[in-house]
Amino acid sequence: MPKEYFIFKINNKCNSLCNFCADSLKVRAHKELEPAEIISAIEKEKRDGTKRLLITGGEPTISPHLIAALKRGRELGFETINITTNARRLGDKEYFDKVNGYIDVYIVSFFSANPLVFDKISGVKGAFAEASRALLNIAKSEGKTLCINCVLSRLNYREMESILAYLYSLNAKSVQFSFANIVGFFRENFEELFADYHEIIPYAVSAVKLANYLGYKGLNFENFPICTFSGHIPLKEIMPMISDLHHPEGNKEYYSSGKVHTKKCEGCFFLNRCEGIYEEYYRRKGDNALRTIKEEDLEGQKEESESEKD
């Protein structure tokens, strides 16, 4: 089956030092790809029938080969060209104008509406100002799609409502809150950063309520088994917002990497769609945040919802 996306890591280097980053300093020191290797990889995926190109890193915008890769992707006719980025360099309007014509979708890693918190997470003073200028550049650019990924930690999970409100004001098509994988720098900073599902979910539900109030349909949650919301919100309401249930089939292996199912997952209605929880989370914290969802649990919610309408 052809993949929906070719998720291509163009480099390992980054201009930020985010305290949750999955790439350790050892990963960042890996040998970079040569230009011919980059172009060859992109061409092969197009021959194999992949529909969309997603360039990631490291930080793609600091790769000297990004523009050549974007240009080749456009020449080959990918349906869309997406880029994941911390967006800091895109705050420079001159650089932004050089790459913007090749990019359809910007997937920006954004962590806080508070400049001090944002800069602390990114490890760079002034990062919030740079990223905010980039978001304005994207918002003002006709025909471009802005998607946000916000990795949650103890430093920002209580801000979910304010982060959503800020990004809604910038016309972000989607805002995804992601539960962090305990690898790389996050593992090193575990005691400072870790918050478990029990702590985060009430704030996630508040974000859902704000999205409903605003009529905003772009809110999503990644690396959240749907059962972690059980008892907090009707599961039928949250189902469309659980990214793990909707990742493209051809890319499921990528998104489920490092995740496991536990005993509680056996017999769950969502077993074949849910990607499970991160193995490192399970090793450290067990599976107390999980529960087995039965089909009748969902039917009961449906009946309850219909009786409320009556």
Coordinates of all heavy atoms in Angstrom, one line a residue, residues 198 225-233 235 262-271 274 277 287-298 301:
H198 N -3.7 11.6 34.3 CA -4.7 12.0 35.3 C -4.6 13.6 35.5 O -5.6 14.2 35.8 CB -4.4 11.3 36.6 CG -4.7 9.8 36.6 ND1 -5.9 9.3 36.3 CD2 -3.8 8.8 36.7 CE1 -5.9 8.0 36.3 NE2 -4.6 7.6 36.6
P225 N -4.5 7.7 24.4 CA -5.5 6.6 24.2 C -6.9 7.2 24.6 O -7.0 7.9 25.6 CB -5.1 5.5 25.2 CG -3.6 5.8 25.4 CD -3.5 7.3 25.3
I226 N -7.9 6.9 23.8 CA -9.2 7.5 24.0 C -9.8 7.2 25.4 O -10.5 8.0 26.0 CB -10.2 7.0 22.9 CG1 -11.5 7.8 23.1 CG2 -10.4 5.5 22.9 CD1 -12.5 7.6 21.9
C227 N -9.4 6.0 25.9 CA -9.9 5.6 27.2 C -9.4 6.6 28.4 O -10.1 6.6 29.4 CB -9.5 4.2 27.6 SG -7.8 3.9 27.8
T228 N -8.4 7.3 28.2 CA -7.9 8.2 29.2 C -8.9 9.4 29.4 O -8.9 10.0 30.5 CB -6.5 8.9 28.9 OG1 -6.6 9.6 27.6 CG2 -5.5 7.8 28.8
F229 N -9.8 9.6 28.5 CA -10.9 10.6 28.6 C -12.1 10.0 29.3 O -13.1 10.8 29.6 CB -11.2 11.2 27.3 CG -10.2 12.2 26.8 CD1 -9.2 11.8 26.0 CD2 -10.3 13.5 27.1 CE1 -8.2 12.7 25.5 CE2 -9.4 14.5 26.6 CZ -8.4 14.0 25.8
S230 N -12.2 8.7 29.4 CA -13.4 8.1 30.0 C -13.7 8.6 31.3 O -12.9 8.7 32.2 CB -13.2 6.5 30.0 OG -14.3 5.9 30.5
G231 N -15.0 8.9 31.5 CA -15.5 9.5 32.8 C -15.3 11.0 32.9 O -15.8 11.6 33.8
H232 N -14.7 11.6 31.9 CA -14.5 13.1 31.9 C -15.3 13.7 30.8 O -15.7 14.9 30.9 CB -13.0 13.4 31.6 CG -12.1 13.0 32.7 ND1 -11.8 13.7 33.8 CD2 -11.4 11.8 32.9 CE1 -11.0 13.0 34.6 NE2 -10.7 11.9 34.0
I233 N -15.6 13.0 29.7 CA -16.3 13.6 28.6 C -16.9 12.4 27.8 O -16.2 11.3 27.8 CB -15.4 14.4 27.7 CG1 -16.1 15.2 26.7 CG2 -14.3 13.6 27.1 CD1 -15.2 16.2 25.9
L235 N -17.3 9.7 25.2 CA -16.3 9.2 24.3 C -16.7 9.5 22.8 O -15.8 9.7 22.0 CB -16.0 7.8 24.5 CG -15.4 7.4 25.8 CD1 -15.1 5.9 25.9 CD2 -14.2 8.2 26.1
T262 N -1.5 -2.9 26.7 CA -1.4 -3.6 28.0 C -2.6 -4.6 28.1 O -3.4 -4.7 27.2 CB -1.4 -2.7 29.1 OG1 -2.7 -2.2 29.4 CG2 -0.5 -1.5 28.8
K263 N -2.6 -5.3 29.2 CA -3.7 -6.2 29.5 C -5.1 -5.5 29.4 O -6.1 -6.1 29.0 CB -3.5 -6.8 30.9 CG -2.4 -7.9 31.0 CD -2.9 -9.2 30.4 CE -1.9 -10.3 30.7 NZ -2.4 -11.6 30.1
K264 N -5.1 -4.3 29.8 CA -6.4 -3.6 29.8 C -6.9 -3.3 28.4 O -8.0 -3.0 28.2 CB -6.2 -2.2 30.6 CG -6.1 -2.4 32.1 CD -6.2 -1.0 32.8 CE -6.1 -1.2 34.3 NZ -6.1 0.1 35.0
C265 N -5.9 -3.4 27.4 CA -6.3 -3.2 26.0 C -7.0 -4.4 25.4 O -7.7 -4.2 24.4 CB -5.1 -2.8 25.2 SG -4.2 -1.3 25.8
E266 N -6.8 -5.5 26.0 CA -7.4 -6.8 25.5 C -8.9 -6.7 25.6 O -9.4 -6.4 26.6 CB -6.8 -8.0 26.2 CG -5.3 -8.2 26.0 CD -4.8 -9.3 26.9 OE1 -5.6 -10.1 27.5 OE2 -3.6 -9.5 26.9
G267 N -9.6 -6.9 24.5 CA -11.0 -6.9 24.5 C -11.6 -5.5 24.4 O -12.8 -5.3 24.4
C268 N -10.7 -4.5 24.3 CA -11.2 -3.1 24.1 C -11.8 -2.9 22.7 O -11.3 -3.3 21.7 CB -10.1 -2.1 24.4 SG -10.6 -0.4 24.3
F269 N -12.9 -2.1 22.7 CA -13.5 -1.8 21.4 C -12.6 -1.1 20.4 O -12.7 -1.3 19.2 CB -14.8 -0.9 21.7 CG -15.5 -0.5 20.4 CD1 -16.4 -1.4 19.8 CD2 -15.3 0.8 19.9 CE1 -17.0 -1.0 18.6 CE2 -16.0 1.2 18.8 CZ -16.8 0.3 18.1
F270 N -11.6 -0.4 21.0 CA -10.7 0.4 20.1 C -9.4 -0.3 19.9 O -8.5 0.4 19.3 CB -10.5 1.8 20.7 CG -11.7 2.7 20.8 CD1 -12.5 2.8 22.0 CD2 -12.1 3.4 19.7 CE1 -13.6 3.6 22.0 CE2 -13.3 4.2 19.7 CZ -14.0 4.3 20.9
L271 N -9.2 -1.5 20.3 CA -7.9 -2.2 20.2 C -7.3 -2.1 18.9 O -6.1 -1.8 18.8 CB -8.0 -3.6 20.6 CG -6.8 -4.4 20.5 CD1 -5.7 -3.9 21.4 CD2 -7.0 -5.9 20.9
C274 N -6.6 2.0 18.2 CA -5.8 2.7 19.2 C -4.4 2.3 19.1 O -4.1 1.1 18.9 CB -6.4 2.5 20.6 SG -5.4 3.3 21.9
I277 N -0.1 3.1 24.6 CA 0.6 4.1 25.3 C 2.1 3.9 25.1 O 2.5 2.8 24.8 CB 0.3 4.1 26.8 CG1 0.6 2.8 27.5 CG2 -1.1 4.6 27.1 CD1 0.4 2.8 29.0
D287 N -0.4 1.1 34.0 CA -1.5 1.4 33.1 C -2.8 1.8 33.8 O -3.9 1.6 33.4 CB -1.8 0.2 32.1 CG -2.2 -1.0 32.9 OD1 -2.2 -1.0 34.2 OD2 -2.6 -2.0 32.2
N288 N -2.6 2.4 35.0 CA -3.7 2.9 35.8 C -4.6 3.9 35.1 O -5.8 4.1 35.5 CB -3.3 3.4 37.2 CG -2.7 2.3 38.1 OD1 -3.1 1.2 37.9 ND2 -1.9 2.7 39.1
A289 N -4.0 4.6 34.1 CA -4.8 5.7 33.4 C -5.7 5.1 32.4 O -6.5 5.8 31.8 CB -3.8 6.7 32.8
L290 N -5.5 3.8 32.1 CA -6.3 3.1 31.0 C -7.5 2.4 31.6 O -7.5 2.0 32.7 CB -5.4 2.1 30.2 CG -4.1 2.7 29.7 CD1 -3.4 1.6 28.9 CD2 -4.3 3.9 28.9
R291 N -8.4 2.1 30.7 CA -9.6 1.2 31.0 C -10.0 0.6 29.7 O -9.8 1.0 28.6 CB -10.7 2.0 31.7 CG -11.3 3.1 30.9 CD -12.7 3.4 31.3 NE -13.7 2.3 31.1 CZ -15.0 2.5 31.3 NH1 -15.5 3.6 31.7 NH2 -15.8 1.5 31.1
T292 N -10.7 -0.6 29.9 CA -11.2 -1.3 28.7 C -12.6 -0.7 28.4 O -13.5 -0.7 29.2 CB -11.3 -2.8 29.1 OG1 -10.1 -3.3 29.6 CG2 -11.7 -3.6 27.9
I293 N -12.7 -0.3 27.1 CA -13.9 0.3 26.6 C -14.7 -0.8 25.8 O -14.1 -1.4 24.9 CB -13.7 1.5 25.7 CG1 -12.8 2.5 26.4 CG2 -15.0 2.1 25.2 CD1 -13.5 3.1 27.6
K294 N -15.9 -1.1 26.2 CA -16.8 -2.0 25.6 C -17.7 -1.3 24.6 O -18.0 -0.1 24.8 CB -17.5 -2.9 26.6 CG -16.7 -3.6 27.5 CD -15.9 -4.7 26.8 CE -15.1 -5.6 27.8 NZ -14.3 -6.6 27.1
E295 N -18.2 -2.0 23.6 CA -19.1 -1.4 22.7 C -20.4 -0.9 23.4 O -20.9 0.2 23.0 CB -19.5 -2.4 21.6 CG -20.3 -1.8 20.5 CD -20.6 -2.7 19.3 OE1 -20.1 -3.9 19.4 OE2 -21.1 -2.3 18.3
E296 N -20.8 -1.6 24.4 CA -22.0 -1.2 25.1 C -21.8 0.1 25.9 O -22.8 0.9 26.1 CB -22.5 -2.3 26.1 CG -21.5 -2.8 27.0 CD -20.8 -4.1 26.5 OE1 -20.7 -4.2 25.2 OE2 -20.4 -4.9 27.3
D297 N -20.5 0.4 26.2 CA -20.2 1.7 26.9 C -20.6 2.9 25.9 O -21.1 3.9 26.3 CB -18.8 1.8 27.2 CG -18.3 0.8 28.3 OD1 -19.2 0.4 29.1 OD2 -17.2 0.4 28.3
L298 N -20.3 2.7 24.6 CA -20.6 3.7 23.6 C -22.0 3.8 23.4 O -22.6 4.9 23.2 CB -19.8 3.4 22.4 CG -18.3 3.4 22.5 CD1 -17.6 3.0 21.2 CD2 -17.8 4.8 22.9
Q301 N -23.8 5.7 26.0 CA -23.7 7.1 25.9 C -24.6 7.6 24.8 O -25.2 8.7 25.0 CB -22.2 7.4 25.5 CG -21.3 7.2 26.6 CD -19.8 7.6 26.2 OE1 -19.6 8.0 25.1 NE2 -18.9 7.5 27.1

